[in-house]
Every structure is written in C-alpha cells, then in structure tokens.
Amino acid sequence: MPSPNMETNGSDTNLRHTQSPAIRRRIILFPMPFQGHINPMLQLANILHTQGFEITIIHTEYNSPNHSNYPHFTFNSISDRLSEIENHLPMKANAEALYFVKYLNISCVDPFRGCLAGLLEKYGEGSIGCLITDAGFYFTQAVAESLKLPRMVLRTSSVSCVLAWGVLPFFPENNYFNLTKEDPNYESSAPEFPVIKFKDVAKMTTNPDGMRNYVTNMISHMKASSGLIWNTFKELEEPSLETIVQQFSVPSFALGPFHKYFPASSSSLIEQDKTVLQWLDTQSPKSVIYISFGSIAHITESEFQEIAHGLANSGFPFLWVVRPGIVSCSNWLESLPEKFLESVGDRGRIVKWAPQQEVLANPATGCFWTHCGWNSTLESICEGVPMICSPCFGDQPIDARYVSDVWKIGVYLEDGFDRVEIKMAIKRVMMDEEMRERINSFKEKVNSSLEEGGSSHQSLKRLVDYILSFCNDTQ
Ligand code: UDP
C-alpha cells in the first residue's frame, strides 16, 4: 500500500512488485544524521517498501527524522552522545562535519550494536534480509559481521567522487591540500585524477589528516560490504561505474535518482516555505535564479555581500535561500548591504528554507546557483536547470568540476565570490542555449532510466533479487 507521501506517479506504477507475504522480509536502514544523507536513505527505504520489504529505520537522536511522515516504517532511536560535545551544535564551520562524523563512528558503536541485536532477537534472524547503512558509518561493518547480518552500503555522493577520493590517501603529504593561489601548480590537474585540479583539492578540507583517515575507513569498509547502492544513473556516470565495479569487488546498484520515484519528499528537517511557489508562478519562464548552498555549508560575511551585489546587479528575479547561521556570527539577514531589500523590491525573495524540488521543477526557474551537494546537483539535472557552482568543501568541488568540465551543464565560479564574475556567470548560464540543451538531454535520460527496462529500473530489480537471495540463505 503506498504511504501518504508516496502517491503514485508513472515510474512508481512500473515499480510495484508483488512479493508474496511468505517472502516479505525486513530491511534495517541507518542514515547519517545530515539532511543530504537522510533524504536519499529515506527515499531508498520508500523505494524498497514498494518492493514488498518491511522497513525499520535506526537513527541517532540528533536530527531525528519525523516519524509521523512515515507511518509505514518502524523507527528505533539510539543514543549518539552528542550532548557531551553540545557546544559544537549546531555545526558552525565546514571543518566540523568531519569531526562530527568521526565522533559518531565511535559514540554510536555500543548503542547501535545493542539496538541491532535487539531487533534480530525481536524479529528472528531469518526475517531480516540485510542492513543498509550510510557509507560514512563505516563502524557498522564490524557490527554487522559480528551479528552475521549482510551489510549493504548506500553512498550518497556521486560514484566519481568516491573514485576521486580514493586517490586522496596517496597524495604526497599535505602538499596538495595546502596549495595557495600563489603556487604555480594551483590551476593544474592533479595527475592522480586529472578531472580535478589542485585548486579543487585545496577546497576539500582544512583538515587533511582527518579527511584521509575518514576516506580510508569509508572506502575499505565499502569494499568489505556485501554490495553498494548509488543514488545516480548509468547514463550520467557510466565510465565511473565501470571503474568502481573493477576496483571494488562487490556488486554495485545504480538506481537513482531516488527522489524521482515519488513526488517531492517529506524528509526535510527544516520547515519549507511553500509561499515561494505562488511567487514563482507569477514570474516569466526560465527567468528566475534559485540560490541555495544546502544544509551544512557556511560562507563569510564578505562572500554573502558579494552574492547580494551580484544578484542585485544581474537584473534577474531571484529566490535566495539564506539558512539561518549560514554566515558565521550572523543570525539571518543582518549582513545584507544597506538598502538591498528596498532596491530589489519584489524582484527578489529571500527565505530560510525552500521546497527545493518543487522550485527546480517550476517553469520559472532558469538557473540554480548551488554549492553542488550531490542531492542538489541531481535534483537540478532531473529538472533540466543549468547550474552556477560554488562548492564549499568535501565532495562539492568534485561535483562542480564534473558539472562544468565533463557534463558541461554549468559554470564553476572557481575563484570564489566576486560581484563582477557572478554577474557574468549568471548571464552566461541564463543565455547559453547549448548548455540548456545538454542538461535537458540528461533530463530525458533520467526519465528513460526509470521506465520499465531502463537502467535504474533494471538495477532496482537486480537489487531486490540480490536482497531476497540473502533471505533465502537464512531460511
Ligand atoms: N533542500 C531543501 N530546501 C532548501 C535547500 C535544500 O529542501 O532550501 C534539500 C535539497 O532538496 C536536498 C538537500 O536539502 O535534497 C540538500 O542536500 P545536498 O546533498 O544538496 O547538500 P547538503 O545539505 O548535504 O550539503
């Protein structure tokens, strides 16, 4: 039975799969507690539920999903001990995301093991097909092995990101991470992974040792898992998927984009301001710039002001998501240039959080200025909206490089925020018809990949059969 937030659409109908009650099995999923990780994990859970699996979600106390949006799932909350480092909440700097993840990989071990063992006892070993955890929760591999439960991994980034990160641990010392604009190599490609430049590596982290440690742990435990699930589609990342299959000797299932299986998702941790949709309806087709840097990224006050000047000078209408706290030392809009709001008038809307998928799907949206989180990048591709890329950290510089240099569906603001360059980038993305055609062609490929016989549809069927094979093993 579809849940309230899973009304049917075309692709959903194609996906309905009838498992007989006798083989209906439970899957346990464990997302990392960040918006960009919770969304795809709960979307995957919904997809697997339509395939006849019972769903149990284990989650941390921090950023708990709203249970009432998922009456068809059961939830188990575990202690994360984040209150012991309370003064770090909420994250105030990009670098802290790594610290959080490392901490959780230690603090959650015992509570998670206890919870999983309890679920195995409650439901009976034979009734649980597998565990699916976020790749960032690498500690779960040892727990799953000790309880003899197959662990599959959901990696919420692009496949190309994992390949690029795979070479990071072998970079010489910290040289690549610490390069500055003055270094003659700054603009050159990294020989170990030529798509990315040294300047991209320098943006990835301010904590190279922490990053190397995290990446090494994540990748080695992905390789030890029973299989990898990707929120991507073959037509977008075919060469990278082929390489992953060679490098990681476990099955890979690319069945994305997950959010396209259902109408707009309901796993937002922050309330979405839906009034913007009425405003968008009054704007001309493809005229509006949508700006959002996701749920974690931070910018400085001067970067914020350059963005404001760039938007004001561009002359285009805009919808700007300013997440409270995105500018350190500022609650919300205090850092806007003087008279900014009066000067832009009704041409600009600023909100704290938007219904992003619906905004991107609105015909008025002509360009997405994004930090290139993987969900945002995929959501833009699915709606055929070309991008301006301002990556902040982590996988974002890699996504930005693929968007601008490989897929050629956006412009990368490589050298930070400067009002003159911003205005030029906006004009280019708004006017470049070839770029729009390229991203529209990906949009069509997304739709065919989800149809009966399409690549993502087939991957999902393979995944279901694969999970059922674990169930049969335990009978
Ligand atoms: N999002 C949203 N409203 C906003 C901004 C973002 O609903 O105003 C959603 C967006 O649709 C995406 C997620 O938040 O699914 C952000 O994930 P992403 O991987 O792009 O970035 P992260 O937040 O992890 O940096």
Side-chain angles (χ1 to χ4, degrees), residues 15 17 35 39 55 60 94-95 106 119 149 166 174 195 200 232 235 279 341 343 362 393 410 424:
L15 285 164
H17 182 99
Q35 185 73 75
N39 285 1
I55 299 295
T60 56
N94 298 334
I106 297 165
L119 289 171
L149 190 62
N174 289 339
V195 174
D200 303 322
T232 189
E235 290 73 11
W279 175 81
L341 293 174
S343 71
N362 191 294
F393 71 105
M424 277 166 26

Side-chain angles (χ1 to χ4, degrees), residues 35-37 39 268 272 290 292-297 321 352-357 371 373-377 379 396:
Q35 185 73 75
H37 293 250
N39 285 1
S268 191
Q272 298 174 324
Y290 169 60
S292 171
F293 296 149
S295 61
I296 303 179
V321 175
K352 293 180 174 166
W353 197 245
Q356 180 161 301
Q357 290 170 29
H371 69 312
W374 183 239
N375 295 291
S376 294
T377 306
E379 288 162 13
Q396 300 156 15

